[in-house]
Amino acid sequence: MTTRQILKRLLTPVALLLATLYFLIDALFLPIIKPLAARVSRLPFLAAVVAWVKSLGPYGSLALFLVPVILLEPVKPLGALLIGRRHVGGGLLLIILGEVLKVAIVERLFHLTRDKLMTIRAFAWCFNFTTRWLAYLQSFPAWQAAERWLGQLQELGRRVLRLVRAWIARGPAA
């Protein structure tokens, strides 16, 4: 076996694990962020921004789409660096806020410009490749277990929220 084959055999599981973790982080935030982003984008003062985004051509849409990715993707390693330097709370907060902002903005921009972006051959190829890769990752039992766990966590959060709302509605104890 050549050195290249050995490296490929050793690094493929590591790359698969890192890709799975990356997509899981995004997938963790998307169900929470998507409804909020849709609601925020309907605010009256953002109507002009939405109209402007929709008026862009394919390459203008692509440039705009890339801005939040380029600006907010480095937040994850910076957060990890803070965590590594014993600033766990700040690091986690930075990662969470950066990820929430990135996912919300990118998801909304993609929703508004998808048809135009898909006319760019390279973008369409990357999108389709990523979609197939994600489907491949989602076929693994570990991914499915993580999705079940996330669903259970979301249901727990909904139950706690209902209990808190009911407690608030009852008012202070007499």
Side-chain angles (χ1 to χ4, degrees):
M1 217 184 307
T2 67
T3 304
R4 185 176 182 182
Q5 290 171 324
I6 293 170
L7 283 174
K8 184 177 179 182
R9 186 168 278 177
L10 291 173
L11 294 179
T12 297
V14 173
L16 183 62
L17 176 66
L18 290 175
T20 302
L21 288 174
Y22 178 84
F23 283 121
L24 267 175
I25 289 171
D26 281 356
L28 173 71
F29 289 101
L30 191 58
I32 299 163
I33 296 168
K34 205 171 185 176
L36 293 173
R39 219 177 272 155
V40 167
S41 72
R42 288 190 296 268
L43 293 173
F45 71 90
L46 288 177
V49 174
V50 170
W52 174 73
V53 169
K54 287 182 176 182
S55 74
L56 294 173
Y59 290 97
S61 297
L62 178 62
L64 185 62
F65 182 78
L66 292 175
V67 168
V69 174
I70 291 167
L71 292 177
L72 294 171
E73 195 56 42
V75 164
K76 287 180 197 170
L78 286 174
L81 179 66
L82 283 173
I83 292 169
R85 293 196 175 166
R86 297 185 182 165
H87 299 284
V88 177
L92 287 174
L93 185 64
L94 184 63
I95 291 170
I96 290 169
L97 287 177
E99 191 63 18
V100 166
L101 273 174
K102 183 191 80 173
V103 171
I105 295 168
V106 167
E107 191 279 327
R108 222 42 227 150
L109 287 173
F110 184 73
H111 175 76
L112 293 171
T113 62
R114 183 181 194 277
D115 294 339
K116 292 176 187 176
L117 291 171
M118 295 306 276
T119 64
I120 302 171
R121 180 179 259 172
F123 184 91
W125 182 88
C126 288
F127 176 79
N128 291 329
F129 177 81
T130 303
T131 303
R132 285 191 305 273
W133 180 247
L134 185 56
Y136 173 69
L137 292 175
Q138 290 171 337
S139 72
F140 283 93
W143 183 285
Q144 294 163 6
E147 280 186 333
R148 282 191 302 276
W149 179 78
L150 179 59
Q152 292 168 350
L153 192 60
Q154 287 173 333
E155 180 55 34
L156 177 64
R158 283 190 285 272
R159 276 193 244 144
V160 168
L161 190 57
R162 282 193 301 268
L163 287 172
V164 168
R165 285 180 179 158
W167 180 74
I168 290 172
R170 280 194 305 265

